[in-house]
Amino acid sequence: MPALVLLGAQWGDEGKGKATDLLGGSVDYVVRYQGGNNAGHTVVVGDQKYALHLLPSGILSPGCTPVIGNGVVVDPSVLLSELSGLNERGVDTSKLLLSGNAHIITPYNVTVDKVTERFLGKRKIGTTGRGIGPTYADKINRVGIRVQDLYDESILTQKVEAALDVKNQVLTKLYNRRAIAVDQVVEELLGYADKLAPYVSDTVLVLNQALEEDKVVLFEGGQGTLLDIDHGTYPFVTSSNPTAGGACTGSGVGPTKISRVIGILKAYTTRVGAGPFPTELFDEDGEALRRIGGERGVTTGRDRRCGWFDAVIARYATRVNGLTDFFLTKLDVLTGWEQIPVCVAYEIDGKRVEELPYSQTDFHHAKPVYEMLPGWNEDISKAKSFGDLPKNAQAYVKALEEMSGAPISAIGVGPGRDETIEINSFL
C-alpha cells in the first residue's frame, strides 16, 4: 500500500486541509512533517468549520492516527489549546502521536522572533512572530529543546542555560530588552510534560512498522513549495522544507517508501507576507478574488495577496517535488469572469523566460506574460464529475494541466468536504 506526500505547489494556502481531509477516511496515518503553528488548514465538515494550526488534518477522520513528526516545531501551549478546543467540540484526539524528537518552541524563541522582525523594519521577512524561525535556528545550532527533554529536568535546565547565555546578551545589549530567567522558562516547560506525555512516541518506528504492515500513510506539508528554505523565494520563505524531500527527513521514512506525491494547486495564486509575486493584482480583480475566495490567513488573520494562475511556478513545483498528481482547488472562485488570464511565461529584461529563474534579482524583476482563456458564468458547486463542468471550465482545467506538467486528478468546486470532483483516485 502507498505512502503519499501531499504538499502545497504555490506559496501555501492552497487548500491542503481539504485535500488531506478528503483522503483522511481512506488512510491509516496522517503525518505533519515540518513547520509549526505558522501554518493553518481550514476543513469544512458538514456545517462545521475547523481551523487547524498545528494538528494534522487527519485528526478529524475517525479511524485515522494523526502524527506530529520530528521535523515539526511544537509550541506546547498552542498544541494543548488546539486539542482542548477539538475535545470540546466532540472530536476524539486520543490517537494523536507526537515525536519525542520534535523541537519545542520556547518563550524566548517567540520573544526573539518578534523583536527581530521589529528591528528589521522595512527589511522584515513577514514572519508570523510565533518563534518558528528562531526554534529552527536553535535546532541547527544544536542548542534546541526537544520534546523528550521535558522528561529530564537536569538536561532541560542545562539546555535552557546554554541557549539563554547568548540570547540574553542579544536581548539586553542589542534590543534593550530584559534578560529572560532560566528558572522561569524551565518551570513553564516542565508544566507541559504530564499533559503531553500520553501523546509522546517513537514516531519513526511507528510509521515504518505501519508501512511494513501495508498501512496507508499520508504525509502532509505545511506552507508551500515557494516558501521552502532551499527551493523557495529566499529569503522570503519559511524555516523548513515543505517540499517532498522534507517528508523523509521530517518523519524518518525513506524515499523508496513513497509512491505518490500530490501537489495542491489553487486555480489562481495567493501568498501571505513579503516577497516577489509576479502575477499579483492591485485592482478590482485582485479584490474580487480575495473577497470571493475568502482569502484571509487561517493562522495569521492577514489578507492574502491575490493574483492570476502562474504556470511557471506550477512547472517548478512539479520538478522539485517530483509531483505525480495535482489537486486543483477553488475553481468555483473563478466563476463570473468573461476571460481569465493565465501566466504562461515571464518577461525579464526584454526576454521571454518560461522556467523559474534561479536568480533572486531576475525573479524580482519578472513580468508575467499572459494567455487569455474564456471564462464561465454557470454555478459549478454541484458538479460531481468532470463532464458536469461547463465547457470553458473544462478547457481551463485541461490548459492548466498541460502547462503544469502533471495530471490534475481532483478538482475542488466548493469549500465543503463533498464539493470535490475526483478524476483519478489517489489510492
Side-chain angles (χ1 to χ4, degrees):
M1 295 297 288
L4 307 98
V5 179
L6 190 147
L7 52 85
Q10 295 156 316
W11 275 287
D13 306 307
E14 301 94 347
K16 294 181 293 295
K18 177 181 179 178
T20 307
D21 180 63
L22 182 71
L23 289 164
S26 304
V27 302
D28 300 295
Y29 293 80
V30 175
V31 186
R32 271 288 303 275
Y33 60 83
Q34 50 76 223
N37 57 304
N38 58 338
H41 298 319
T42 299
V43 179
V44 179
V45 182
D47 60 353
Q48 295 291 309
K49 181 182 287 188
Y50 298 88
L52 305 176
H53 305 280
L54 187 56
L55 291 169
S57 299
I59 195 90
L60 299 175
S61 299
C64 178
T65 300
V67 179
I68 296 177
N70 58 274
V72 178
V73 291
V74 178
D75 185 321
S77 65
V78 171
L79 177 57
L80 293 169
S81 175
E82 199 164 335
L83 288 168
S84 175
L86 289 178
N87 289 333
E88 289 174 2
R89 297 177 68 178
V91 177
D92 179 14
T93 62
S94 62
K95 287 190 172 185
L96 175 69
L97 300 180
L98 169 62
S99 172
N101 288 338
H103 279 248
I104 293 286
I105 299 174
T106 67
Y108 51 79
N109 292 136
V110 177
T111 300
V112 168
D113 197 358
K114 289 179 178 178
V115 299
T116 301
E117 276 287 278
R118 283 198 289 269
F119 182 79
L120 288 172
K122 293 181 179 179
R123 294 178 290 113
K124 66 182 180 181
I125 303 300
T127 76
T128 59
R130 288 166 167 79
I132 310 296
T135 304
Y136 276 115
D138 281 359
K139 177 179 179 177
I140 298 303
N141 287 326
R142 291 162 290 187
V143 294
I145 309 298
R146 298 194 292 179
V147 170
Q148 61 177 279
D149 297 329
L150 302 182
Y151 304 97
D152 189 321
E153 184 174 352
S154 175
I155 287 179
L156 177 62
T157 303
Q158 292 176 48
K159 288 191 171 186
V160 172
E161 286 175 344
L164 286 179
D165 275 348
V166 175
K167 286 181 174 57
N168 275 336
Q169 294 291 321
V170 173
L171 287 171
T172 58
K173 296 182 179 178
L174 178 60
Y175 297 125
N176 195 30
R177 299 278 171 167
R178 292 178 181 174
I180 297 173
V182 172
D183 292 347
Q184 183 178 341
V185 173
V186 170
E187 182 180 359
E188 179 177 336
L189 294 179
L190 287 175
Y192 298 122
D194 288 344
K195 296 175 183 177
L196 293 177
Y199 308 108
V200 180
S201 175
D202 182 352
T203 56
V204 174
L205 178 61
V206 169
L207 293 173
N208 279 283
Q209 286 180 336
L211 288 169
E212 289 168 6
E213 295 169 2
D214 289 335
K215 303 291 187 182
V216 183
V217 179
L218 177 65
F219 299 94
E220 173 188 60
Q223 292 92 26
T225 296
L226 273 293
L227 291 177
D228 187 278
I229 186 71
D230 288 297
H231 304 292
T233 50
Y234 191 89
F236 303 99
V237 292
T238 194
S239 302
S240 57
N241 293 108
T243 46
C248 298
T249 56
S251 69
V253 171
T256 56
K257 297 184 179 180
I258 293 172
S259 57
R260 211 153 181 182
V261 183
I262 304 162
I264 313 304
L265 196 62
K266 197 176 285 185
Y268 48 101
T269 310
T270 63
R271 84 171 292 176
V272 171
F277 183 0
T279 68
E280 183 172 11
L281 297 169
F282 301 94
D283 57 10
E284 292 180 359
D285 284 334
E287 184 53 42
L289 288 174
R290 185 177 298 110
R291 184 184 70 256
I292 299 168
E295 297 298 349
R296 181 178 289 269
V298 177
T299 296
T300 64
R302 292 180 287 185
D303 284 341
R304 295 175 185 139
R305 300 157 63 190
C306 296
W308 298 120
F309 184 85
D310 190 329
V312 181
I313 285 173
R315 285 194 292 274
Y316 178 75
T318 301
R319 183 178 305 114
V320 299
N321 292 298
L323 295 180
T324 59
D325 304 82
F326 278 115
F327 187 134
L328 185 70
T329 63
K330 290 198 169 185
L331 183 64
D332 54 300
V333 173
L334 296 180
T335 299
W337 268 272
E338 185 176 343
Q339 288 191 310
I340 305 172
V342 172
C343 174
V344 297
Y346 299 145
E347 181 185 313
I348 303 175
D349 295 332
K351 296 181 180 178
R352 182 184 172 104
V353 176
E354 297 194 356
E355 301 297 343
L356 196 77
Y358 78 90
S359 164
Q360 176 181 295
T361 300
D362 285 348
F363 193 58
H364 269 281
H365 291 97
K367 297 178 181 178
V369 176
Y370 286 117
E371 179 178 313
M372 305 301 292
L373 298 178
W376 61 92
N377 290 310
E378 300 91 331
D379 178 12
I380 66 171
S381 62
K382 301 296 187 291
K384 299 301 180 184
S385 69
F386 187 70
D388 290 341
L389 293 174
K391 294 298 182 184
N392 286 351
Q394 292 182 34
Y396 185 81
V397 172
K398 289 177 180 177
L400 266 52
E401 180 178 75
E402 184 175 345
M403 294 174 189
S404 302
I408 293 175
S409 295
I411 304 167
V413 293
R417 173 185 274 183
D418 57 345
E419 293 177 312
T420 301
I421 297 171
E422 191 172 345
I423 300 173
N424 299 305
S425 175
F426 292 122
L427 295 171

